Amino acid sequence: IYKLLSCSGCGRGAIGKFHDMGRANKYLESFYPRALENSALPEGVPESIINEYREAELCASFEAWRAASALLRSTLEKTLKLNGYTTGNLRDKIDTAAEDGIITSARKQKAHSDIRVLGNEIVHDEWRVVDEDEVFSALHYVQRILEDFYDDRESVTQILIEKERIEPA
């Protein structure tokens, strides 16, 4: 049985699929879209980056895993570009941000494996299934990278100026 409902968390319209085995007790089998809480993002993240990240979350709430993956890769690249990492490909930008000390070596590895490679596969390679775990890992690490750049913006800005990534204000 399918019923039109609304999400108790966000109020959006939804559809619930209930399993009916001929008894009075029915149980909810699925609910679309999935209710996802928006991740906490630091103050100071540019609106364009927030919008891109939020759209990836929205895609994930509809289980559009491939679309979310591509948007997260885009969010990462745009974040790096806005912070002065403008030369080379995305691999180079990630590596340089790690060399500058903005992101950790461990975060660099996750940026490559869980965000960049996944997004590249979606955009450039043959079609493949992307699963929920891959997307939630990418969401997690993009959020962490945004925290790296914007939680202590004053210190990051100083590093970016010293490394001649951005001009002093």
Side-chain angles (χ1 to χ4, degrees):
I1 298 172
Y2 293 89
K3 290 188 176 188
L4 293 176
L5 305 166
S6 65
C7 175
S8 62
C10 67
R12 287 188 294 173
I15 188 163
K17 180 180 177 185
F18 292 86
H19 191 76
D20 181 3
M21 299 185 61
R23 298 183 303 228
N25 293 338
K26 297 169 180 59
Y27 67 89
L28 182 63
E29 189 173 307
S30 60
F31 187 85
Y32 296 99
R34 295 167 56 158
L36 292 181
E37 272 190 48
N38 285 342
S39 300
L41 299 177
E43 287 188 33
V45 176
E47 187 175 345
S48 62
I49 299 298
I50 291 172
N51 291 339
E52 190 113 352
Y53 186 85
R54 295 291 182 227
E55 188 166 335
E57 288 179 319
L58 183 60
C59 287
S61 77
F62 282 96
E63 298 182 12
W65 308 128
R66 293 173 52 81
S69 300
L71 282 166
L72 290 166
R73 183 204 181 281
S74 176
T75 302
L76 173 61
E77 185 152 25
K78 289 174 181 172
T79 298
L80 291 164
K81 283 182 178 179
L82 282 174
N83 283 280
Y85 298 95
T86 56
T87 58
N89 58 28
L90 182 54
R91 172 185 286 134
D92 298 333
K93 292 176 177 97
I94 293 166
D95 289 345
T96 305
E99 289 167 12
D100 288 352
I102 304 295
I103 62 174
T104 65
S105 179
R107 191 99 72 226
K108 174 183 96 166
Q109 292 305 102
K110 289 298 195 175
H112 284 304
S113 64
D114 292 18
I115 305 165
R116 182 185 63 82
V117 170
L118 177 62
N120 284 350
E121 288 174 354
I122 299 315
V123 174
H124 301 295
D125 294 349
E126 294 296 317
W127 191 94
R128 77 166 183 87
V129 172
V130 173
D131 67 41
E132 176 179 355
D133 291 339
E134 291 176 290
V135 172
F136 281 102
S137 180
L139 278 164
H140 173 78
Y141 285 105
V142 170
Q143 177 192 21
R144 293 296 176 265
I145 290 168
L146 291 172
E147 290 171 352
D148 290 342
F149 276 96
Y150 294 98
D151 262 350
D152 183 8
R153 188 60 187 172
E154 190 175 310
S155 296
V156 170
T157 299
Q158 191 58 41
I159 293 168
L160 295 173
I161 290 169
E162 288 171 9
K163 299 290 184 176
E164 298 180 349
R165 307 279 174 227
I166 61 173
E167 296 290 324

